Amino acid sequence: MDLSSKPIFLPAIAVLLFFACSGFLVPNIEAASDYSNLVYNSCANQTLTDPIESYSQTLSSLLGILTAKSLHSSFFKTSVEDDKAAFSGLFQCRGDLSNANCYNCVSRLPALSKRLCGESLGARVQLSGCYIQYEADGVAENSEPELLYKLCSETEARGSEFEEMRTEAFAAVEKGVMSSGNNGFYHETSGEVNLMAQCQRDLDICECGECVTNAVQVAQEECKSSVSGQIYMGKCSLSYTFYPNGIPSTNSHQGKGHHGT
């Protein structure tokens, strides 16, 4: 995971004081919707060792900074270090979330990552509307699989009409994420299709297009005739649902999820 950036030197107590003493105001937040649903998580094999307290405080500082930044930004990447420990991390929210809902989504992730990954020195936790990723400096890098997770509907569609519609829709999403005004986010809901794709914000246009093209290939090869699917790559995601009778008010399709290998 490439999370390098200019480090911030900030002990955990400074983050606590920031929230408690600086007049920090949390905006009114809408009730959590489907953006807070857990999609998947992955945890590094290495766990905290001596000095445990230093690592815990540094990680808490990082997570506090990321949470605070989510009030005003949909993407942020940084690193935090002290004399004994250093962590790098980032968060990103779905492109259609408001600032308040982005914060509401991201603020759930520190406690969730603690519960799911414990004392792991690295983690990625993906909710429907946001994700967080972090790792300690010096953690042995494993070859990150390009496909992180996929979810394919068990409901399938057959026939050339479905194939043609899917091909056209995927071509539209590949073009849409590369539009300079979209910041790597594309969402279309019309007729019989609901499409969404998003790239990590620090990718350039060509990298974003290449990542989404790879996600489309995974969807075609892995989900085949499934009427809906979610594909999570290392730096982008793709989701789609086809409705032969038009898009309903609610989405009840379900499927089985699989981690990438």
Side-chain angles (χ1 to χ4, degrees):
M1 292 183 285
D2 180 14
L3 300 174
S4 60
S5 63
K6 186 176 180 180
I8 294 176
F9 295 85
L10 187 64
I13 187 62
V15 176
L16 298 176
L17 290 172
F18 173 77
F19 282 96
C21 304
S22 66
F24 181 80
L25 298 178
V26 178
N28 291 330
I29 297 172
E30 301 172 20
S33 183
D34 65 342
Y35 62 77
S36 63
N37 294 333
L38 176 65
V39 179
Y40 76 91
N41 68 279
S42 60
C43 312
N45 292 329
Q46 292 156 287
T47 57
L48 295 178
T49 57
D50 293 334
I52 292 178
E53 183 177 0
S54 180
Y55 275 99
S56 296
Q57 290 180 349
T58 306
L59 178 57
S60 294
S61 296
L62 173 68
L63 297 178
I65 291 168
L66 294 177
T67 300
K69 287 291 185 180
S70 68
L71 275 166
H72 309 291
S73 177
S74 61
F75 173 79
F76 186 71
K77 178 171 71 172
T78 191
S79 60
V80 178
E81 63 182 70
D82 61 19
D83 292 339
K84 298 179 179 179
F87 275 87
S88 300
L90 62 84
F91 78 86
Q92 178 158 308
C93 288
R94 207 171 65 204
D96 60 342
L97 292 190
S98 66
N99 286 343
N101 284 338
C102 180
Y103 171 81
N104 192 22
C105 189
V106 174
S107 64
R108 298 167 183 269
L109 290 168
L112 191 57
S113 65
K114 175 70 172 178
R115 178 168 65 85
L116 295 172
C117 293
E119 303 300 315
S120 175
L121 287 176
R124 176 165 173 147
V125 181
Q126 175 78 55
L127 303 184
S128 298
C130 65
Y131 69 89
I132 198 168
Q133 179 176 308
Y134 60 83
E135 65 178 358
D137 286 6
V139 172
E141 293 188 6
N142 297 320
S143 179
E144 184 178 86
E146 188 149 2
L147 172 62
L148 300 179
Y149 185 81
K150 67 176 182 290
L151 180 69
C152 303
S153 170
E154 294 177 345
T155 304
E156 297 186 346
R158 301 293 182 182
S160 59
E161 183 178 349
F162 168 77
E163 296 290 339
E164 291 173 4
M165 183 171 56
R166 185 180 67 173
T167 298
E168 292 176 3
F170 283 164
V173 78
E174 289 178 80
K175 181 179 179 181
V177 294
M178 295 182 68
S179 175
S180 59
N182 288 344
N183 290 320
F185 176 76
Y186 178 83
H187 185 202
E188 177 185 354
T189 301
S190 62
E192 299 175 342
V193 63
N194 186 351
L195 274 169
M196 185 181 296
Q198 184 165 17
C199 292
Q200 190 168 297
R201 284 285 296 275
D202 56 352
L203 295 186
D204 63 35
I205 289 178
C206 293
E207 291 171 332
C208 177
E210 181 180 359
C211 187
V212 172
T213 295
N214 291 338
V216 165
Q217 291 175 349
V218 171
Q220 291 171 328
E221 294 172 3
E222 300 289 341
C223 293
K224 300 185 185 300
S225 298
S226 294
V227 298
S228 66
Q230 299 176 46
I231 309 298
Y232 291 89
M233 312 295 282
K235 295 293 181 73
C236 68
S237 62
L238 167 72
S239 64
Y240 63 93
T241 304
F242 294 94
Y243 301 97
N245 299 316
I247 295 177
S249 58
T250 59
N251 182 352
S252 59
H253 291 289
Q254 296 180 345
K256 296 180 179 179
H258 303 275
H259 286 280
T261 55

